Amino acid sequence: MQRVWQQIFALPEQPGAAAGVLDLRGWTFKDTHSVVLDGTWSFYPNRLVSESDIRSGAAGAAVPVEVPGNWKNSLSGSSLGYGTFALRILVDQPLDEPYSFWVQQIQASSRIEVNGRVLRTMGQPAADRELYQPKAVPYTVHYFLPEGTQEMLVLVQAANFDHEAKGGISYSIRLGAQSSIIKERWYSSAFQLTTIVILLLHALYVFILYLLSQKNWPLLLFALMLVTIAVSVGTDNDLLLYIVLPLGYSWGIKLKMLSYLWMVYFMLLLTYRFYGTPASGRVFKLYSFLLALYTLALSVLPIHVALTHAILFFNLLYMIPPCWMFVVFARMVYQRKKDVAFLTFTACCLISGVVWGATVNNYHKNLPFYPVDILAAIIGFSSYALKQYIRRSNENRLLYEQLLQADRQKDQFLMNTSHELRTPLHGMMSIAQSEYDQKRIASPEEDAGDLELMVRIGRQMSQLLDDLLDLTLLRENRMVLHPAPLSVHTIAAGAADMLRYLTDGKNLTIHVSVSALLPRVWADEKRLIQILFNLVHNAVKWTEHGSILVTAEEADGQLLVSVADTGVGMEEEALARIFLPYEQAGGQNRGGLGLGLSITRQLVELHGGSLSVESRLGEGSVFRFTLPLAHEAFCIDERLGRAEAVDPVEALGTASTDWSIRLRNKDEEPFLAGVPPSPSGLYADEDVLKILAVDDDPVNLRVLSTILHEDIYQLTSVLSGEEALIRLEEEAWDLLITDVMMPGMSGYELTRRVRERYPASELPVLLLTARAMREEIYYGFQQGANDYVTKPVDSLELKYRVTGLARLKQTIDHSLRLEIAYLQAQIRPHFLFNALNSIATLSTIDICQMQQLIEAFSAYLRSSFDLMNTGSLVHLRQELSLVEAYLYIEQVRFGERLEVKWERNDTGLLRVPPLILQPLVENAVRHGLLSLIEGGLLTIRIEEEEEQVRLTVQDNGKGMEQAQIDRLLMKHKDKSSGIEIWNTNRRLIERYGQGLSIQSRPGFGTTVSFMIPLRRAE
C-alpha cells in the first residue's frame, strides 16, 4: 500500500542542491509535481543576515549544511541557537503564476525572504532568547519572479531555543507552481481531515454503545483509542488541530507527544482484552505508573526541559506497547485462536505504520499525510471485535440448549479420573517384579514377607478412589473412607510445606503449631491431607499479608483443628454460601471452581466431625473442624509378621530409632541395625551406588530395600531428616531418597537444607510422594529436588531413576579426576624442553648432578602418567614424590631464585585425592615466585590438628587481588588457565565439605591451605 501511495505522490527525478546552489534550469514547473529543495545549503551560524548583507560581503563566510536535517553540527553540537540558511535557485524564466514555497516545519521560528523580499514570518526569530517567540506550523508563501530574472536567492532565518532534538529546517521545503502546491497541500489536508472525522464519528457511536451496554470496558477502550489517534493526526503533519484550538508552541508539542503515548497504551489494553487476559501483571502496572508519571511531568515542565531531558523516556514508553502487542499477537497465532487472521492483519498494519512513521520523521517527510495504515488497523480491530461478538452470540445460544447435558457431562468428567487406578496397579506390579527378580536369589522364608507386603499395597489401592469419586460420590452418598490412626502433626506440616511456595511475593508466613504428642485421629490419610490442603490453600489465596496459623487441641473427646488467617475476611451473607458448590467468598474469583470448601465440609462430616467458620470483613477468617480420636492404633510389624496394639504416642516415638537396611548378597537376609558387611565383591567400590533413604514409615523403607536388592545398591535407611543430615556429614553418598510427608522435618525442608551445602550435581535428591499433585511436585523442584517418584513405586521406574541419578553423580566425580589427571599428563612443551636443556647443559658441567636430574625427571614423568591418578584416593607419599621431583627440576633450572622449605610431621598412611597438592605447588612456583626476578621462598607445611591434617603451600611471591582469587575458584569454559585450581577446590568440597583457603595480598605472597580429615582419609 505504501508503494502505491508513493507512486501517487512520487517526486520526479530532480537535481539536488550543492554548495548552496540549486540549478533548475530546463525544469518545467507547469502542471507537474513540486520539487524539494533538498541538498547542501549555505548556512550562516549565529547570524540573521539579509540579501544586502550577502551582496555586500558583510554576512561573512558561510558553512555548508544538509537540508533537511539538524543544524547542531554547525552550532557547536547543540540544536539550540539561530542562523540563516541561503540557497540560490536558478530557473529559466518567470511563470504566468507565482512560484510557491511550501514550508512544512522549521524549528522553532522562521522568516523566509526571496531576493530581498520578506514573504512570511512564523513566530519571531531572534538572536536574543527574550525577543524570540516559537511557532512551527506549516505554511505556504508565493513569489512572482520579475521578468528577465532567472535567479531566486532564498534566505531562511531561523531561531530555536526550545527543541533540543530538532533544529533548523527539519523537513523538506517544496517549490513549485502555485497551482501544484495548492493541490498537493489540499490533498494532504483533506486526507488528514477525513481521517480525523472518521475516527471521531466511530469514537462517538462506540462510546454510545458503551453507555448502552452496561459498561462494556473494551468499547470504552476502543473509543479512547480512536480519540487519541484523531488527536495525534491533528497535532502532526499539517497541524489541523491548531485551527480549532488556540494551541501554543509548547502545548502543541506536549499534546502531540501525549496523544501518541496514550494511543499505543489503549491499543495494548484492547489487545489484552482480545487475548482474553486482563493486563494486570506487575510489569504492566509499572508501565502504567511510569506513563502516568511521565504525563504529569510533561504537563508541568517547560517545553525546552521536556524536549531536552524527557525525549529518551518518550521513545522508550512509545516503543514498548507495539513490541508488547506483537508478542501477544504472535502468541495468539501460535495458540491458533479463532479469527486471528484479523489480528494478524492489524499487526501488519501497525508494523507498517510504525515503519512509515519512523521513515517520515527521520528527516524524510517528502510525502503528504498517509492514513491508510491507521484506517486499516482500525478496520482490523473492529472486524475482530464484531466477529467475536457474532461468534459468542451463537455460542451462548448453543450453550443454553446444552446446559442440562453439560451438567451431566460434568459429573461424568469427574468419573473419568479412573486413570488414577494405574497407581495401585503399578504398586502391585512393583512387588511382582521384585518377586520375579528374587526367585533365583531369595530364600523360601522371604516369600511370606513379600506376599504380606503385596497384600498391604493392594489395600492401599482402595484409598485412591478419593480422586475418582470426589464431588460425584459425595452427592450420591457413595463415598467410602479407609480410616487409620493418623498423626495430624505430620500431615499438617507436610500440607503447609506444599503450599509455602504460594507465599512468594507476599508478606505472608505459614505457622504450624501442632504438638507431636497429641493423640492420633481416626481418619482416611488421603482425605485428611485433602482437607488440610484445601483449608490452607484457601487461606493463602485470600491473604495478602500477615500470617496463617494451623493449631490443634483435644476437646470433648475429639481433636479440634483450626486454620486461622489474617486475610480479607467475609461478610455475614457470604458465610452462608461459601460451603455451596461453585461459590466463592464475596462473589470474587481468585482462581478455582469454588468446590474446595464444599468437598472439605462433606469429607469432614463423613469422618464424623464438623466444619465451621468465623470471619469478619477485613479481619481474616478462622476455619475449625473436628475429627474423632483413634483410641488404638494398629501397626503391622513387618519384621515379626503379626499385629499388635500399641499406644499412638509410643508408635510415634519409634521414629527416633535407627533402622538401617543394607543387603549383602543373594544368600543373606536383610541386615537390620548396626553396620552390615560390605557388598559381596561382585562390583568394584566405585561401581556400588551408595544410597541414603529417609522415611518415617518402616514399611516404605522395606519396599525400597526389596526393590533395590541387587549388589550394586548399598542402601542405608534412617527414619528422620535429622538423622539423614548426620549421616550426610559422616560419609559421602551417591543419592538421597526421601519421603515428603515426615514429622519434625519434612522431605521439603530436608532437601532445602541439603541444597545449602550440596549442589544438585554433587548429591542428587529423589522425592517419594504419596500424591502426584502439581503443587507438591513444583514445590519439591523449587527446593532443589532432582526427580520424584509417586508412591506406591513402580520397581522398574524406581531402578531406572535411582541408577540414572546415582550414576550421573559418579560420572561427575570421575570426570573431575580425569580432568586433573589429563591436565597433569599434558606435560607443557616449554617445561619439557627446559628440563632436557638443563640435562644437556649439566652433561658438560656436572655429571653427578645430571644423573640426579634425570632420575627426578623420570620420577616426575612416571607420576604424571600414572593411572592411579584417575582413582579416588592415593597415599600422601605418592603425591609428595611427584611434588619433590617437580621442585628438584625447577631448583636445578633456577638455582638460588627458588628456595624450598619443608615442614612436615609424620602423617602415617594418610590417603588423599590424587594430584591435590602438585597443582598448588606448580601454581605457586610459576605464578607466585618465578614471576619475580629475584624469585623467593616456597614453604610446604603438613601438620596434624586434632582429627585432621592441614596441608599448606606458602610463597612470598607477587601475590594477587581478591578478584583474581575469585576467578581462580570459578570455572572458565573458554580458558584452561586456572582450571587446576578450580578442579582441586571442587574435588575437596565434594569429598570433605570444604575447599581451598587462599589468603593473598599483592607484594606479600600467597598462602593456600586445605584440610584432610583423618577419619575420611583412611
Side-chain angles (χ1 to χ4, degrees):
M1 182 61 70
Q2 292 174 359
R3 292 185 177 180
V4 175
W5 197 260
Q6 290 175 350
Q7 292 175 0
I8 296 175
F9 295 98
L11 294 175
E13 294 294 333
Q14 65 167 74
V21 179
L22 177 59
D23 190 354
L24 294 178
R25 288 176 293 188
W27 191 267
T28 301
F29 286 93
K30 190 67 175 177
D31 299 328
T32 61
H33 281 287
S34 61
V35 297
V36 292
L37 307 183
D38 294 352
T40 305
W41 289 39
S42 298
F43 181 62
Y44 299 89
N46 299 321
R47 282 168 288 174
L48 300 178
V49 302
S50 61
E51 180 189 24
S52 60
D53 295 331
I54 296 177
R55 303 292 187 190
S56 64
V63 296
V65 65
E66 288 296 323
V67 174
N70 195 333
W71 64 8
K72 64 187 304 181
N73 292 331
S74 302
L75 289 177
S76 302
S78 174
S79 297
L80 304 181
Y82 62 96
T84 304
F85 296 86
L87 178 66
R88 293 176 59 239
I89 303 175
L90 305 180
V91 296
D92 288 327
Q93 59 184 358
L95 301 176
D96 56 359
E97 58 179 322
Y99 284 96
S100 292
F101 295 87
W102 181 6
V103 181
Q104 295 184 344
Q105 191 178 110
I106 298 177
Q107 294 293 342
S109 62
S110 61
R111 180 185 296 111
I112 185 168
E113 175 183 328
V114 180
N115 289 344
R117 179 183 171 188
V118 178
L119 301 181
R120 182 75 178 266
T121 299
M122 185 60 62
Q124 181 60 50
D128 192 350
R129 185 183 183 90
E130 285 71 19
L131 301 177
Y132 145 87
Q133 296 180 2
K135 188 174 183 181
V137 297
Y139 61 91
T140 56
V141 295
H142 312 291
Y143 176 74
F144 269 105
L145 185 65
E147 193 67 32
T149 304
Q150 295 183 338
E151 177 182 327
M152 289 184 287
L153 178 58
V154 180
L155 298 180
V156 178
Q157 298 177 355
N160 174 37
F161 294 100
D162 290 301
H163 207 308
E164 176 65 28
K166 295 180 180 179
I169 303 176
S170 302
Y171 300 123
S172 300
I173 298 177
R174 291 176 175 271
L175 170 64
Q178 183 182 28
S179 57
S180 299
I181 291 295
I182 293 177
K183 177 181 177 182
E184 292 175 14
R185 190 174 185 190
W186 182 88
Y187 271 122
S188 177
S189 300
F191 277 120
Q192 294 177 58
L193 183 60
T194 303
T195 302
I196 293 174
V197 171
I198 292 175
L199 292 172
L200 292 180
L201 286 177
H202 278 71
L204 179 61
Y205 78 72
V206 170
F207 184 72
I208 294 175
L209 287 176
Y210 164 74
L211 295 178
L212 298 177
S213 62
Q214 297 180 350
K215 306 300 178 62
N216 190 348
W217 286 106
L219 292 177
L220 179 60
L221 294 176
F222 192 57
L224 293 175
M225 182 188 70
L226 294 175
V227 172
T228 53
I229 294 176
V231 173
S232 67
V233 173
T235 54
D236 203 353
N237 296 279
D238 288 343
L239 307 179
L240 298 181
L241 194 60
Y242 283 63
I243 302 175
V244 181
L245 300 176
L247 297 175
Y249 177 79
S250 298
W251 276 105
I253 294 180
K254 292 180 179 180
L255 191 59
K256 173 184 174 181
M257 296 172 67
L258 293 178
S259 64
Y260 275 105
L261 291 179
W262 285 97
M263 173 185 68
V264 295
Y265 178 75
F266 290 133
M267 284 185 177
L268 178 61
L269 282 175
L270 195 60
T271 302
Y272 262 102
R273 286 288 179 175
F274 288 155
Y275 183 57
T277 303
S280 58
R282 294 183 179 177
V283 177
F284 181 81
K285 291 180 180 178
L286 177 61
Y287 175 81
S288 302
F289 173 75
L290 293 177
L291 178 59
L293 186 63
Y294 182 84
T295 301
L296 179 62
L298 189 63
S299 302
V300 299
L301 289 176
I303 187 61
H304 66 278
V305 176
L307 293 176
T308 302
H309 302 287
I311 192 67
L312 178 62
F313 295 99
F314 170 81
N315 294 330
L316 181 64
L317 293 175
Y318 178 69
M319 290 305 300
I320 288 177
C323 298
W324 204 332
M325 285 187 288
F326 301 152
V327 172
V328 177
F329 286 152
R331 190 181 302 170
M332 296 175 70
V333 173
Y334 177 76
Q335 295 175 355
R336 299 182 179 180
K337 286 186 173 289
K338 294 181 179 180
D339 307 321
V340 76
F342 293 104
L343 294 180
T344 304
F345 172 75
T346 302
C348 294
C349 293
L350 291 175
I351 295 174
S352 178
V354 171
V355 173
W356 178 267
T359 302
V360 169
N361 287 298
N362 192 24
Y363 307 114
H364 297 289
K365 191 172 182 179
N366 296 329
L367 293 176
F369 173 67
Y370 174 71
V372 178
D373 287 340
I374 295 178
L375 295 177
I378 299 303
I379 292 173
F381 270 123
S382 303
S383 301
Y384 181 78
L386 185 59
K387 185 67 175 178
Q388 277 194 325
Y389 173 76
I390 295 174
R391 187 180 66 254
R392 288 174 180 173
S393 297
N394 294 333
E395 290 175 354
N396 289 337
R397 179 176 53 84
L398 294 175
L399 290 174
Y400 176 77
E401 296 173 355
Q402 299 171 359
L403 183 58
L404 295 177
Q405 181 181 359
D407 186 60
R408 292 190 298 269
Q409 289 177 344
K410 171 178 62 66
D411 294 337
Q412 184 62 37
F413 171 77
L414 296 176
M415 296 293 295
N416 287 338
T417 56
S418 58
H419 65 273
E420 292 292 341
L421 288 174
R422 291 179 299 175
T423 302
L425 178 61
H426 287 168
M428 299 179 69
M429 291 175 59
S430 298
I431 301 302
Q433 183 68 41
S434 178
E435 286 291 318
Y436 175 79
D437 294 338
Q438 295 186 33
K439 280 183 179 180
R440 295 170 296 175
I441 60 176
S443 59
E445 291 77 11
E446 285 286 323
D447 293 340
D450 289 338
L451 290 176
E452 185 179 3
L453 186 60
M454 291 181 64
V455 172
R456 288 183 58 82
I457 292 180
R459 293 174 181 173
Q460 293 177 359
M461 290 182 61
S462 61
Q463 297 179 3
L464 296 178
L465 291 175
D466 332 358
D467 299 328
L468 175 71
L469 302 174
D470 275 338
L471 187 61
T472 303
L473 295 183
L474 288 170
R475 284 181 172 178
E476 298 176 0
N477 296 321
R478 294 191 294 114
M479 173 69 71
V480 178
L481 298 180
H482 301 276
L486 299 176
S487 170
V488 175
H489 165 71
T490 300
I491 295 178
D497 268 349
M498 279 191 287
L499 291 166
R500 278 198 172 92
Y501 79 98
L502 292 177
T503 63
D504 294 342
K506 294 184 176 183
N507 185 18
L508 179 63
T509 57
I510 302 178
H511 301 285
V512 178
S513 180
V514 179
S515 173
L517 300 179
L518 285 173
R520 295 193 175 191
V521 296
W522 187 251
D524 186 309
E525 180 181 7
K526 300 288 176 105
R527 291 306 176 184
L528 181 54
I529 294 176
Q530 185 176 2
I531 291 169
L532 283 168
F533 182 90
N534 287 346
L535 292 178
V536 178
H537 183 273
N538 182 76
V540 172
K541 183 167 61 174
W542 296 97
T543 306
E544 295 298 329
H545 56 83
S547 63
I548 297 173
L549 179 61
V550 181
T551 60
E553 60 180 344
E554 186 178 358
D556 298 330
Q558 292 183 314
L559 192 68
L560 176 64
V561 183
S562 302
V563 179
D565 63 71
T566 58
V568 296
M570 291 172 283
E571 298 176 346
E572 287 292 334
E573 57 177 317
L575 295 178
R577 302 196 314 269
I578 59 172
F579 293 117
L580 299 176
Y582 311 109
E583 287 287 343
Q584 293 191 347
Q588 303 179 37
N589 188 355
R590 295 197 178 184
L593 299 175
L595 293 175
L597 293 179
S598 174
I599 294 177
T600 300
R601 185 174 195 174
Q602 295 181 68
L603 289 176
V604 171
E605 292 175 350
L606 278 178
H607 283 84
S610 61
L611 174 63
S612 61
V613 58
E614 294 181 5
S615 180
R616 290 185 180 181
L617 191 62
E619 298 182 7
S621 305
V622 180
F623 287 85
R624 297 184 178 90
F625 67 93
T626 58
L627 291 174
L629 299 178
H631 298 287
E632 288 186 339
F634 292 90
C635 300
I636 303 297
D637 190 328
E638 293 294 326
R639 290 167 287 178
L640 301 178
R642 66 177 185 268
E644 59 180 2
V646 298
D647 183 80
V649 177
E650 296 177 356
L652 184 62
T654 60
S656 62
T657 62
D658 182 23
W659 182 26
S660 298
I661 304 174
R662 297 176 62 178
L663 296 184
R664 296 165 56 192
N665 56 42
K666 63 181 181 179
D667 298 325
E668 295 180 329
E669 294 285 348
F671 192 87
L672 304 180
V675 181
S678 60
S680 60
L682 297 177
Y683 299 91
D685 289 342
E686 295 185 5
D687 292 330
V688 175
L689 306 180
K690 296 186 62 178
I691 302 171
L692 180 63
V694 190
D695 199 315
D696 64 315
D697 187 354
V699 175
N700 293 333
L701 294 175
R702 178 63 182 273
V703 171
L704 290 177
S705 67
T706 305
I707 296 175
L708 305 176
H709 65 277
E710 290 92 345
D711 289 342
I712 63 171
Y713 303 111
Q714 182 176 327
L715 184 68
T716 300
S717 300
V718 294
L719 295 172
S720 68
E722 292 79 2
E723 294 179 74
L725 293 175
I726 296 174
R727 299 303 295 268
L728 289 175
E729 290 289 336
E730 293 176 348
E731 54 186 309
W733 302 89
D734 294 319
L735 177 64
L736 173 65
I737 304 177
T738 177
D739 186 27
V740 169
M741 296 291 182
M742 295 188 299
M745 181 185 298
S746 68
Y748 300 129
E749 184 178 355
L750 175 60
T751 304
R752 182 166 57 249
R753 295 184 56 177
V754 167
R755 283 293 166 261
E756 292 175 357
R757 173 175 174 182
Y758 301 98
S761 60
E762 293 185 6
L763 181 58
V765 177
L766 178 66
L767 293 181
L768 299 180
T769 173
R771 301 185 65 189
M773 299 174 60
R774 285 194 300 270
E775 295 84 356
E776 187 175 350
I777 296 170
Y778 295 162
Y779 188 73
F781 284 136
Q782 289 176 355
Q783 302 312 306
N786 295 73
D787 204 350
Y788 76 95
V789 174
T790 305
K791 296 189 300 184
V793 297
D794 179 90
S795 62
L796 190 59
E797 177 187 5
L798 180 66
K799 287 181 179 179
Y800 275 122
R801 293 183 184 272
V802 166
T803 305
L805 291 174
R807 289 300 184 205
L808 174 63
K809 193 264 184 182
Q810 289 187 343
T811 301
I812 292 175
D813 297 345
H814 190 59
S815 66
L816 291 175
R817 298 195 297 269
L818 287 178
E819 181 180 51
I820 194 65
Y822 170 75
L823 292 174
Q824 181 62 29
Q826 285 186 310
I827 306 300
R828 294 175 177 83
H830 73 275
F831 176 79
L832 179 64
F833 295 151
N834 292 334
L836 293 176
N837 288 336
S838 299
I839 294 173
T841 302
L842 289 175
S843 66
T844 61
I845 301 176
D846 189 341
I847 298 298
C848 182
Q849 189 176 9
M850 180 195 72
Q851 292 176 349
Q852 294 176 359
L853 181 59
I854 291 176
E855 292 178 0
F857 187 55
S858 299
Y860 179 80
L861 293 180
R862 283 194 304 271
S863 298
S864 297
F865 299 139
D866 195 344
L867 292 178
M868 292 183 66
N869 291 336
T870 62
S872 59
L873 293 173
V874 298
H875 287 289
L876 178 60
R877 60 174 176 268
Q878 177 181 340
E879 181 74 8
L880 294 180
S881 65
L882 174 62
V883 173
E884 292 171 347
Y886 169 76
L887 289 177
Y888 182 81
I889 295 172
E890 295 292 54
Q891 281 184 305
V892 171
R893 288 181 55 207
F894 296 100
E896 295 180 354
R897 290 182 59 196
L898 178 59
E899 182 181 356
V900 179
K901 179 181 179 182
W902 289 87
E903 298 178 3
R904 51 184 174 181
N905 298 328
D906 183 13
T907 57
L909 300 177
L910 180 67
R911 292 172 63 99
V912 298
L915 300 176
I916 205 72
L917 188 62
Q918 196 275 338
L920 305 180
V921 173
E922 184 174 348
N923 185 74
V925 172
R926 291 178 55 206
H927 302 291
L929 298 176
L930 298 183
S931 59
L932 302 177
I933 297 177
E934 66 275 11
L937 172 64
L938 175 69
T939 302
I940 302 176
R941 186 178 301 110
I942 304 174
E943 52 190 345
E944 294 188 12
E945 298 180 0
E946 296 181 355
E947 295 184 358
Q948 54 190 359
V949 177
R950 179 184 296 274
L951 290 86
T952 305
V953 178
Q954 182 178 357
D955 67 78
N956 59 354
K958 67 176 184 179
M960 52 187 165
E961 300 284 353
Q962 184 61 40
Q964 186 176 357
I965 297 176
D966 296 338
R967 286 195 300 270
L968 285 176
L969 298 178
M970 295 177 60
K971 185 174 183 180
H972 300 276
K973 296 182 179 179
D974 56 340
K975 297 181 180 179
S976 61
S977 176
I979 194 171
E980 297 94 338
I981 304 299
W982 172 87
N983 186 290
T984 302
N985 183 66
R986 174 71 182 273
R987 289 187 293 141
L988 286 170
I989 291 176
E990 181 192 343
R991 176 166 286 275
Y992 304 116
Q994 55 184 346
L996 296 175
S997 173
I998 303 178
Q999 290 85 33
S1000 181
R1001 282 196 303 165
F1004 291 90
T1006 303
T1007 301
V1008 182
S1009 63
F1010 59 91
M1011 308 295 292
I1012 301 294
L1014 289 174
R1015 58 186 175 84
R1016 296 191 182 183
E1018 297 176 356

